[in-house]
Each structure stands twice: as C-alpha cells, then as structure tokens.
Amino acid sequence: MAVKKSQLYSSLWASCDKLRGGMDASQYKDYILTLLFVKYVSDKYKDDPYGAIAIPEGASFEDLVNLKGDKNIGEKIDILIAKLAEANNLTGIINNAHFNDEAKIGKGEEMIDKLTGLISIFQRPELDFKNNKAEDDDLIGDAYEYLMRNFATASGKSKGQFYTPAEVSRILAKVIDISKCKDKNATIYDPACGSGSLLVRAANEAPFSLAIYGQEKDISTAGLAKMNLVLHNKASGEIHSDNTFSDPWYKDDNDETKLRKFDYIVANPPFSMKNWMDGLKPYGRFDDFDEMPPEKNGDYAWLLHIIKSMKNQTGKAAVILPHGVLFRGNAEETIRKNIINRHLIKGIIGLPANLFYGTGIPACIIVLDKENTENRTGIFMIDASHGFIKDGDKNRLREQDIYKIVTTFNSMTEVSGFSRFVPFDEIINKNSYNLNIPRYIDSTEKEDLQSIEAHLYGGIPQDDIDNIPHFWNVFPNLKNQIFGEYSKGFYKLLIQKDDVHKTISENIEFLEYNKKVNNTYNEWKKIANPVLTNLNSSDSNKEIILNLSEEILAKFSKLELLDKYDVYQVLLAYWNETMNDDVLLIIQDELGYNLAKITDDIKEEPKENKKAKKDTAKEKKPKEPKIIGWEGRLIPKQIVLDAFFALEQKEIEKAEEKLSQTESEFEEFIENNSDENGYFTDYMGDDEKIDSKKITSRVKLLIKEKKTQNEEYKILNNYVDYESSIKSQKKHITELKKVLDDNCRNRYETFTDAEIKDLLVNRKWYKAIDDGIQNLYITVANHLTKRIVELYERYENTLSELNTKLAEEEKVVFGHLTQMGFKL
C-alpha cells in the first residue's frame, strides 16, 4: 500500500533520535542517509540483475536486519556496506560513516541497542520502497531532500553549507534553458556540487536524461551527492572528490592542460573562499583575463572556472555568488569589465538575505550564456530581495516568489520595482561597469510624505486618499461613504474610526467583489474538477499541479486587488502540505479513490524501549506503540463527522456546555463556602485542595445521626451532589463520543464513489483552497482599514489643538508641584 510522504518523513526523522547525543547533525546525517541508501537500493535492485546498483550476496538490507542484537553489530555493518560499495565502485563514497565508532555510537550494549533500534525503524512499512513509483514521483528523492534540509538546519551556520535550499535550486534549474535542450548527448556539471541538489534539480528539468558530472572537495559530502543521484534514479551520474582548483577531475580529452567543457553548469560555490589558490593549477582558466582574482577571495575564481568550463558558442550556466561580486573594485572590477564587454552575462537575480545555511549575507544568481552573445544588447536584472517569508532564523522563498522570478526572467518581462532590461550603454558609460542592482531597479517603498498644512489646520490630504487607486477603482462609491470634504484639497472621516472596518465589510461593492472572487474560483474548479475526480495510475502529480496552478493564475490575473501570485501561493502551499500526498496515494495505490475507505490507527511511540530476555536467548524486544486514536487515510475524521453526524456532534456539544455550566456553578459554590468560617475549610489540605472522601464520610455520618436539616448537611450534601452530577455528565459525554467514534469509523466502509469524491474533492481540497482565498479577500478590507485609520490618526489633532492640550497638562503638573512645595 502506498504511503504518505508525511509518514515517511516522520519515520526518517525518528531514526535521527537514535543517534542524537553522541554527535551533531553534521555527523549523524552520514549514518541516516547511508542506511536510507542501503534500504532503497535493496528494495529496488536486489532481484534485478540489470539494476543500476548491484546488490552482492550478504550486502542487502535484509542482511542488516539479521545483524540486530549481534554483539559485533557495528563492525559487521561496516563490512556489509564496504562490500556493497566495492561491488559498485563506490568505495570511499558510500562507506564513510563508521558504525563501529564507539566515540559516536557508544560502547557495548549501548551500541547494540542503538544500532538495533535504528535498523528497526528502517523496517517500518512506510519505508518499504519495493512498489515505489520513484521514476515519476520522486518519493524517496524528496525524502532525501527533506532530510538534507533538516540536517542543514540542525547543523547550524557553519556546517549547513553542503546543502543549497531546494527553492533556490529550482530557480537555477529553470533559468538556464535546460528544459529546451534538444541534444541527447548534452552534459551538466557542478564544480562545487555539495550534496548534489543543484545537479538533481537541473537534470530533472531536462526533457530527457543528461550526462551528469560533479566535483566536491569534501569526501563525505561527495558521498552524499552520489547517494543523492542514486536515490533520484540518476545512478549513472559521476561524482568525484577532490579540489576543483588544484586537481580538476574533468579535463579536455584531447588536451590534459585544459578543462572539459559542458553544455550546462549550475553551482553554489563557497562564498569568498580564502584558500582557493592552495596548490592551484591554472588549466587555462585565466588565459582571457588581464588579472587574477584576489588571492584571499575566490568568488571570481569560481566564476572564471565556470566560464572556461562552458562550451564555446552554446554553453549556459547559473551560479550563486555573494552580492559583492557585482560592484567590488580592483582586480574584480577589471575581470567584471572583461566579462561584461564579452556579453557573457544574460541576467542577474538579486536574492533575499539569509537564505543559505552557510551565511546570512545577500546573494545573487548570475546567469551566463555563450549563445548569441554578438546580438546581446544588455543584461536582464531582477530584484527579488523583498519576496520571502521568515522560517525560524532563516528566510525562505515561497512558491509564489519562485514562480514570479522564473516566469519574469524567462519571459524577460519588465515589472516596475522588480525587473528591468538594462542596456550595456547604461551599465558601461553611466555606471562604470557597476552591476549593483539598486542602481538600475528602485524596489524601495515610496516614502509616506506628511502634509504640514494638514497638521496645522486639520483634514486628511486628498493626495493621500487618492493614492489608494486600486481600491477606489473597484469600490468607487465606498470612498464617498467614508470620506467627505473638510476643506479644499482635504477630506474628513464621515464615520467613527472604530466603524471603518464594519463599513467596508458591509459595503455593497465590497460584497459584490466577493461574488467575483467566488465566481473566478468556481471557473477554476470547472477546469480542475474533471482532473481531480478522475485520477488514475497513468497520471503524473507533477503535471497535474503544473496545469492547475497555471490555470488558477490565468483566472485570477483578470481580477483586480487580489494578487494572482498570492492566490497561486494558496494553492501551492496546500498542495505541498496535503494535496500532493493525497493525489500520490490515489495514483499509486491499487485501491485508488477507495483508499478513502481505509482508516489508520494513530500510535504513540513508547518513551522507553527496555531490553528483555526471552528464555536463554538474549533478544531485544521493543515495546509496542500505544494506539491513541485513528484517522482516515485520505479523508480526515472531522470532515466525515461534519458531513454525516451533525446531530450527534450537536448533542455532545450541548452535553459539554451543560457540564461546563455545572462545573462553573460548582466552583462558585466552593468559593462561597471556603472562607475562614466556611464549611469546606476543615476539609482542605496544605495544598488547599478539598478532600472529597472526608466530605462524603461526614455526610454519611450526619445522615446516620439524623442531622439532615442543619446547614452543614445541606452544604456538604450539595457538594456531593455536584460531584456526582459532574461525574455522571462526564461519563455520559464519554459514552456519546465512543458511540460517535465507532459509528464514524464504520461509516468509512460504506462510502459510495459519489460520497468519496464529494468528501475528498469538495469538502477537503476545494474547501481548504477556498478558505485560503477567502482570507485574501478579508485581507483586502484589513489593508484598506489600516490605511484609512492610519491617515485619520495622523491628522486627528491639529498643532493648535495639541498646543492647547499641552498647556492644560502643564497647568495640572505645575499645580501638583506647587502643592508639593516647589516654587516655579
């Protein structure tokens, strides 16, 4: 049965818990990813004599399982992985993690328990890749990316540079025209490939398989890159570990003193590398330039290496470099002039600061293209520095940011404050070869100028009101409903400040606009519905979201106020979070939509897994996870409850309201009888909690003594009645919930095809997307309200009014000081 990505990710990350404590994430990533690699290739290639990876006898994941509990488990795992590496010419690549390292894993029983538990996690059903359709859907490859991203985050600033955020990788892959490649012998190269994410992303954009080449100095990171290629079904890709400057592996077949040339290059080299000249061998990198890059800054060294590695006349590349390469002087300026004069730069994309794990400084993407340089008349620039969201202590590009950058760049569309085609004449003659993006694109927000006249005499300046034209174009009558003339060129508020939002929300034009939003969304649903209600095994989830997202952009581009990119983000965010999982499950599983009839138990992992002995054999037997609930595999329980059990939920809601009222009355009753003379004082312990057993015993005694008419009995018996009522009500609610829970779970088995599609497509998918778009609509009113109130409060009091108020306050203060004996 197909699994959700979220379940897969959860299990993989749980495996990390087994290693935490003895090492940091920059180290334990090697262990987890190595086991993931062994598990995946075993599941995929063990019984395939023609598979991309050979699985020799005794070197499969099943053989790892047989090592559980073995007293020499660490040593034997190392031997097994070395055997797998040797059979595939991967020695020194995939066997860099040493499982017999006592300093990292632990000694004796600790090592046995830790590694046994680790292997057990990889035995979980959600980590069974035998039936995974990774060729189309990249489930395991995405899982690898998930782990790398989390490892980079956990590793901290100094150790996360092996990974380029996937969002940035996708931009590079889409701006080098690799999707238009027609040469089936084309090659792609990364001279500083890290864990290989850039190579994978770029290769995925090509219409067919390309020859992949990468070089990475750090041997363990090179191993990650090779495993990454295998896990993304690109096992034939080459990764070599060595220093790119002192020993470039890829040299010209006909001249060993020259570098090999490639069709496409992507790279995110280390920023401002200080020791790049150590052992340097030129290999013709600097032949066409008058100066060498600075000795203690390797940014231009990487850039020139890439330029020299691009095929003459046709080579294309995209490289991430710090923003300083665009404007720094001296040797870098001389080299930059040369590159600009040769028309090698097609475009520059300025990125937000703090995107990368190795540094917080802002970076840019330089897009190089040797094709058609003689006809190039300028450089296309994008300032994307303001489009991001905060994600922990890092910034992250959203789906809408990626799409806007890529589509704007590829179409060379000029957008005010965002993108512009800059002629060489302006760059060379007016800016002396300085490529700093703010010189050419003003992306700063316009200064909110204030009116001295309004501060002096009152009123809101007409210019401030008229400078919200996108609102008044859609709501022309709303303006007159809110504002009236104060004086010539100035407005006044016709309503109370606190009523602005209510006035906007209830305005007929604003309500009509919501209908337009809903109609536009319904138009998109008409296109989406045939696709989402007829999914089958031949569909591609990637093609589905590509088409649906393009359609939603096209529909909402015709609607004012709502930013089409914001709507795009709503769809893509929900797709990435939930919908992609659902579509994959339907496509991959033989049950298809009927998978919606399946419910899964929700289990809680035991906090401790203590070892146990069975007979004389020593066997580690982990505790079974505790079942704490259940959920529908495709359709959440709450959706089913809302659709079919509204009355039952209402009954429970009423019972809970009654219980809450009774508990509130009980608390008030206790409070009223708990003072010094109250009846409950004698029944309170040091923690001020009432001993109910003592009260019950006292009530029984008063009954026995026939003292049921006195005040004490009435109060104490009332306490007992309250407790009994609350207990009874809680029991009733529990029983109602149990019956509802059972009925709801049984209801899944009786779903008709029509019910499944209604619950899944309409009540789950469409409802979530609609909620997101409605939030955007509500935000329109919030933004307009905020601006109107801001302007009102800015000019609410004139200068003379403020002076008068100040004088009054001073008079009060002086009076107080005089009374205190101060002479003024």
Side-chain angles (χ1 to χ4, degrees):
M1 183 175 286
V3 298
K4 289 185 177 182
K5 282 186 180 180
S6 55
Q7 292 176 323
L8 170 61
Y9 296 169
S10 176
S11 291
L12 288 176
W13 199 241
S15 66
C16 303
D17 292 330
K18 290 291 180 183
L19 295 178
R20 289 192 178 98
M23 63 191 95
D24 66 27
S26 66
Q27 295 174 315
Y28 64 67
K29 71 178 188 302
D30 299 328
Y31 294 87
I32 302 302
L33 292 171
T34 298
L35 286 182
L36 174 63
F37 178 84
V38 174
K39 180 67 168 73
Y40 176 72
V41 298
S42 296
D43 285 353
K44 190 168 181 63
Y45 301 119
K46 184 181 179 186
D47 299 319
D48 184 359
Y50 306 105
I53 298 293
I55 311 296
E57 186 176 349
S60 70
F61 180 76
E62 286 76 8
D63 297 304
L64 271 182
V65 173
N66 292 334
L67 297 178
K68 289 168 62 176
D70 193 294
K71 66 178 181 179
N72 296 315
I73 185 171
E75 178 185 357
K76 291 183 178 180
I77 290 177
D78 284 343
I79 293 171
L80 185 152
I81 294 173
K83 190 174 183 179
L84 179 64
E86 184 179 0
N88 293 281
N89 197 28
L90 295 174
T91 300
I93 300 293
I94 67 167
N95 60 328
N96 296 312
H98 302 297
F99 288 82
N100 200 37
D101 189 335
E102 294 182 344
K104 293 178 181 177
I105 307 296
K107 298 179 180 180
E109 291 294 333
E110 182 184 359
M111 176 182 284
I112 296 171
D113 290 348
K114 188 172 288 187
L115 295 179
T116 295
L118 197 57
I119 293 171
S120 295
I121 290 175
F122 279 85
Q123 286 182 274
R124 291 180 179 179
E126 55 265 36
L127 293 175
D128 182 356
F129 307 121
K130 292 184 177 67
N131 298 315
N132 174 50
K133 292 175 62 177
E135 290 84 359
D136 297 325
D137 300 313
D138 241 2
L139 179 68
I140 187 62
D142 289 347
Y144 178 89
E145 287 286 318
Y146 164 83
L147 284 172
M148 291 302 295
R149 182 174 67 253
N150 281 276
F151 288 141
T153 302
S155 295
K157 185 174 181 179
S158 63
K159 298 176 182 177
Q161 56 192 359
F162 53 79
Y163 175 70
T164 301
E167 297 84 10
V168 182
S169 300
R170 288 164 57 192
I171 294 175
L172 269 72
K174 291 178 181 292
V175 297
I176 57 172
D177 287 339
I178 198 168
S179 62
K180 300 175 183 176
C181 180
K182 296 179 181 178
D183 181 5
K184 294 192 174 183
N185 295 315
T187 54
I188 183 167
Y189 166 61
D190 185 344
C193 69
S195 60
S197 61
L198 276 173
L199 282 171
V200 169
R201 294 283 180 184
N204 281 342
E205 288 295 317
F208 39 75
S209 296
L210 302 184
I212 299 173
Y213 303 92
Q215 184 159 344
E216 167 57 41
K217 183 178 180 180
D218 184 83
I219 189 169
S220 63
T221 306
L224 296 179
K226 182 59 184 180
M227 287 189 284
N228 195 3
L229 292 180
V230 173
L231 296 175
H232 281 87
N233 293 288
K234 294 170 176 38
S236 60
E238 289 186 24
I239 302 293
H240 183 75
S241 178
D242 220 323
N243 188 317
T244 299
F245 289 118
S246 63
D247 190 12
W249 182 254
Y250 302 106
K251 295 181 277 291
D252 192 312
D253 292 336
N254 300 317
D255 186 351
E256 285 285 313
T257 66
K258 302 293 182 183
L259 298 174
R260 185 188 299 186
K261 295 185 181 293
F262 300 89
D263 296 281
Y264 301 96
I265 300 175
V266 288
N268 178 19
F271 287 2
S272 306
M273 188 174 171
K274 297 185 182 305
N275 60 347
W276 70 274
M277 294 188 76
D278 292 352
L280 176 68
K281 297 182 181 67
Y283 286 97
R285 295 182 183 93
F286 316 114
D287 290 353
D288 302 322
F289 299 88
D290 297 329
E291 290 201 44
M292 290 278 288
E295 180 180 352
K296 294 186 177 180
N297 190 321
D299 293 333
Y300 269 88
W302 285 109
L303 187 58
L304 297 187
H305 175 89
I306 289 168
I307 290 173
K308 186 60 68 171
S309 300
M310 295 166 63
K311 278 190 176 179
N312 298 331
Q313 312 303 322
T314 60
K316 304 177 192 302
V319 55
I320 302 168
L321 290 171
H323 211 265
V325 301
L326 301 177
F327 54 80
R328 291 195 297 247
N330 301 318
E332 292 185 325
E333 181 179 5
T334 302
I335 297 170
R336 185 168 62 249
K337 288 180 178 180
N338 187 315
I339 294 172
I340 293 172
N341 286 333
R342 291 165 62 188
H343 298 182
L344 293 176
I345 301 177
K346 179 181 179 181
I348 301 170
I349 302 168
L351 298 172
N354 203 27
L355 283 182
F356 300 94
Y357 295 98
T359 179
I361 65 173
C364 63
I365 299 172
I366 297 180
V367 183
L368 304 162
D369 194 342
K370 288 186 177 181
E371 186 176 6
N372 204 29
T373 54
E374 66 278 5
N375 296 321
R376 189 165 292 139
T377 59
I379 297 174
F380 189 76
M381 296 187 182
I382 291 178
D383 184 353
S385 59
H386 302 293
F388 63 89
I389 59 169
K390 293 294 294 181
D391 186 7
D393 61 351
K394 306 300 293 182
N395 295 331
R396 180 167 58 84
L397 296 174
R398 299 163 294 180
E399 290 291 339
Q400 67 186 86
D401 302 319
I402 299 168
Y403 184 88
K404 186 176 182 180
I405 291 170
V406 170
T407 55
T408 302
F409 186 89
N410 288 339
S411 64
M412 296 287 173
T413 302
E414 293 195 343
V415 179
S416 178
F418 183 73
S419 61
R420 186 177 161 227
F421 183 82
V422 185
F424 283 127
D425 177 66
E426 184 177 346
I427 294 170
I428 297 169
N429 298 320
K430 294 183 180 180
N431 288 283
S432 302
Y433 293 91
N434 189 313
L435 294 175
N436 196 14
I437 295 175
R439 284 178 174 247
Y440 307 99
I441 300 173
D442 183 7
S443 62
T444 58
E445 292 186 8
K446 290 184 179 180
E447 187 177 357
D448 192 8
L449 300 175
Q450 299 194 27
S451 168
I452 295 177
E453 187 176 353
H455 280 301
L456 289 173
Y457 306 114
I460 302 172
Q462 180 176 337
D463 288 345
D464 284 342
I465 303 300
D466 291 344
N467 281 337
I468 323 176
H470 46 295
F471 286 108
W472 309 136
N473 290 342
V474 182
F475 315 129
N477 295 321
L478 177 61
K479 180 179 177 182
N480 297 327
Q481 188 178 350
I482 295 177
F483 297 105
E485 186 177 6
Y486 177 79
S487 62
K488 187 175 181 180
F490 295 87
Y491 285 99
K492 64 180 178 181
L493 211 58
L494 297 178
I495 56 178
Q496 294 296 314
K497 178 180 67 173
D498 294 339
D499 292 333
V500 173
H501 190 276
K502 182 174 183 289
T503 301
I504 295 171
S505 300
E506 295 178 353
N507 176 263
I508 294 176
E509 292 170 332
F510 188 74
L511 297 173
E512 285 296 320
Y513 179 72
N514 191 31
K515 291 181 181 179
K516 291 182 180 179
V517 173
N518 291 332
N519 289 339
T520 303
Y521 181 52
N522 288 332
E523 287 176 14
W524 175 79
K525 283 165 59 176
K526 289 179 182 178
I527 297 171
N529 214 52
V531 177
L532 299 178
T533 57
N534 293 285
L535 298 170
N536 59 69
S537 59
S538 64
D539 287 329
S540 164
N541 64 316
K542 293 179 180 179
E543 287 296 322
I544 288 171
I545 189 55
L546 177 64
N547 294 332
L548 293 184
S549 60
E550 291 287 351
E551 289 291 349
I552 208 166
L553 275 166
K555 294 297 181 186
F556 278 90
S557 63
K558 303 172 185 177
L559 196 68
E560 289 187 84
L561 285 186
L562 285 195
D563 188 328
K564 64 179 181 179
Y565 294 112
D566 287 338
V567 178
Y568 175 89
Q569 178 66 26
V570 168
L571 173 60
L572 266 292
Y574 182 64
W575 174 268
N576 292 333
E577 179 185 342
T578 301
M579 197 170 165
N580 183 42
D581 249 3
D582 292 348
V583 170
L584 272 175
L585 288 175
I586 294 169
I587 290 173
Q588 291 185 357
D589 201 281
E590 59 184 12
L591 290 176
Y593 287 98
N594 281 321
L595 198 62
K597 296 182 178 182
I598 306 298
T599 57
D600 289 328
D601 288 327
I602 298 172
K603 299 177 180 179
E604 182 180 58
E605 292 288 345
K607 293 182 179 179
E608 295 182 3
N609 276 319
K610 296 181 179 179
K611 54 192 176 184
K613 291 186 178 181
K614 189 176 182 180
D615 299 330
T616 57
K618 194 175 183 183
E619 180 183 341
K620 283 71 181 177
K621 185 178 181 181
K623 292 180 180 179
E624 288 295 321
K626 178 184 177 182
I627 297 175
I628 57 174
W630 62 273
E631 193 59 77
R633 175 158 291 205
L634 269 181
I635 301 172
K637 181 197 300 185
Q638 191 59 50
I639 289 178
V640 178
L641 289 172
D642 292 343
F644 301 112
F645 299 97
L647 293 177
E648 290 84 347
Q649 288 188 95
K650 193 68 177 176
E651 183 180 359
I652 292 173
E653 185 180 321
K654 288 181 178 179
E656 289 177 332
E657 288 175 358
K658 181 181 177 183
L659 172 63
S660 177
Q661 182 178 349
T662 304
E663 289 177 331
S664 179
E665 291 174 358
F666 189 29
E667 288 176 8
E668 184 179 358
F669 171 71
I670 292 173
E671 186 177 344
N672 292 337
N673 291 277
S674 296
D675 54 17
E676 292 183 5
N677 300 317
Y679 286 99
F680 298 140
T681 305
D682 295 336
Y683 300 96
M684 286 186 178
D686 294 336
D687 57 359
E688 295 189 353
K689 289 184 178 180
I690 296 175
D691 190 331
S692 298
K693 291 183 179 179
K694 286 185 178 180
I695 290 180
T696 302
S697 297
R698 178 61 178 167
V699 168
K700 290 180 179 178
L701 180 60
L702 290 172
I703 293 173
K704 185 176 181 181
E705 294 176 352
K706 298 182 179 180
K707 297 179 179 179
T708 58
Q709 300 302 315
N710 63 25
E711 185 70 15
E712 180 189 12
Y713 172 80
K714 292 178 181 178
I715 296 295
L716 296 183
N717 189 58
N718 209 356
Y719 180 96
V720 173
D721 288 343
Y722 266 121
E723 273 204 330
S724 176
S725 175
I726 290 172
K727 183 179 180 180
S728 175
Q729 289 181 57
K730 286 182 176 179
K731 181 180 179 182
H732 178 60
I733 291 171
T734 300
E735 291 171 349
L736 289 176
K737 287 183 175 180
K738 171 85 170 53
V739 171
L740 177 59
D741 201 56
D742 291 342
N743 289 340
C744 183
R745 190 162 189 162
N746 294 334
R747 187 65 176 84
Y748 277 79
E749 299 175 6
T750 65
F751 286 160
T752 64
D753 292 346
E755 286 175 339
I756 289 173
K757 292 181 180 181
D758 175 57
L759 291 166
L760 180 63
V761 180
N762 294 323
R763 295 174 183 261
K764 184 181 180 183
W765 294 344
Y766 288 159
K767 177 65 166 56
I769 299 167
D770 183 46
D771 287 346
I773 295 174
Q774 283 299 309
N775 285 335
L776 296 179
Y777 163 73
I778 293 169
T779 301
V780 170
N782 294 340
H783 284 167
L784 182 55
T785 300
K786 180 181 178 182
R787 182 56 177 166
I788 291 172
V789 171
E790 179 183 43
L791 291 172
Y792 170 77
E793 292 178 342
R794 176 180 296 172
Y795 302 110
E796 185 176 5
N797 299 112
T798 64
L799 181 60
S800 61
E801 290 172 340
L802 292 173
N803 285 333
T804 300
K805 187 175 182 180
L806 177 61
E808 292 173 353
E809 295 293 340
E810 285 180 343
K811 186 177 181 181
V812 172
V813 172
F814 289 159
H816 289 313
L817 291 174
T818 301
Q819 290 178 359
M820 295 168 65
F822 290 97
K823 294 182 179 180
L824 303 173

